[in-house]
Amino acid sequence: EDEPAAQMPRFALLPDYGNKANYRVGDEPVELWALEEGWDSVEVTNPDGTRSCYPLTEDHVVLQPVTVGRYSACLVKDGARSGSVEWRMVSLHLEFEKDIYAVGEPITCRVRNEVADEKVFHAILNTEDYYVKGMVFPTEEERETGRFALPPATEPGRYTVIALAKNEYGVYTSPYCEITVE
């Protein structure tokens, strides 16, 4: 009761997933929305420190960054700048040792993250309709090597697998990868 109410941050610009969110390279555009009127463009600072300016079109800008790393952006007009927002582009790749597994055979995976110190901490085997059929929390050694095995599927069918990693903005996933069990 004695604590003052927390102040809600005010944003002039906001990514569609919110400030400090993760986006996957190659399949998720970053939409930056102007929440205040009177600005001309959006200035984006890339992971390498270079800046790019994009004109506002109907109060937003849609970007497709291809470089992994931290980005920031602010609104600009005549030398004035709004407060900035941030996001991360991530790229987590999941591969299998083969295309078809037998019923009862462990599903061996290899992951590669373009950010080496963000290791996979969890992977999930799902049915085609995303019902969880198995999962694994890789050991420290498996996290370091990027190789681990999911529990075997007990029935034939098509399955999807995702891997999960974490950075300072939260948990992110690989794209869903399909495998067949016969």
Side-chain angles (χ1 to χ4, degrees):
E1 289 182 12
D2 296 337
E3 293 181 19
Q7 295 295 316
M8 293 296 292
R10 251 185 75 82
F11 294 98
L13 178 70
L14 199 60
D16 57 331
Y17 285 7
N19 189 33
K20 298 185 178 180
N22 291 306
Y23 292 81
R24 287 191 306 247
V25 169
D27 70 354
E28 296 175 329
V30 178
E31 294 185 36
L32 300 170
W33 290 88
L35 303 178
E36 293 179 355
E37 294 182 10
W39 299 95
D40 289 335
S41 56
V42 174
E43 182 184 82
V44 174
T45 303
N46 301 302
D48 65 1
T50 61
R51 292 186 175 156
S52 306
C53 243
Y54 302 91
L56 277 172
T57 305
E58 297 190 23
D59 297 333
H60 77 287
V61 171
V62 178
L63 306 173
Q64 290 276 357
V66 296
T67 303
V68 169
R70 182 179 294 115
Y71 290 77
S72 65
C74 64
L75 294 167
V76 294
K77 181 178 181 177
D78 300 328
R81 288 182 155 73
S82 71
S84 65
V85 293
E86 300 175 11
W87 71 93
R88 290 269 316 262
M89 296 305 298
V90 297
S91 186
L92 182 61
H93 305 276
L94 180 61
E95 300 166 348
F96 303 98
E97 288 187 352
K98 52 189 176 178
D99 296 328
I100 300 173
Y101 288 85
V103 170
E105 178 183 12
I107 299 165
T108 52
C109 305
R110 185 175 73 227
V111 294
R112 180 176 45 86
N113 194 338
E114 292 191 29
V115 179
D117 62 339
E118 294 173 10
K119 307 292 185 199
V120 167
F121 69 89
H122 191 48
I124 304 170
L125 175 69
N126 298 293
T127 61
E128 277 185 297
D129 54 357
Y130 305 105
Y131 180 73
V132 175
K133 296 305 276 185
M135 63 182 75
V136 65
F137 291 93
T139 65
E140 187 61 36
E141 180 181 337
E142 290 169 329
R143 289 170 50 121
E144 289 302 317
T145 64
R147 295 179 187 272
F148 56 88
L150 282 155
T154 58
E155 298 176 12
R158 304 263 317 139
Y159 292 86
T160 60
V161 178
I162 58 169
L164 293 85
K166 185 176 180 180
N167 63 24
E168 72 271 22
Y169 293 165
V171 173
Y172 59 94
T173 70
S174 67
Y176 281 87
C177 297
E178 293 186 358
I179 60 163
T180 301
V181 175
E182 294 182 339

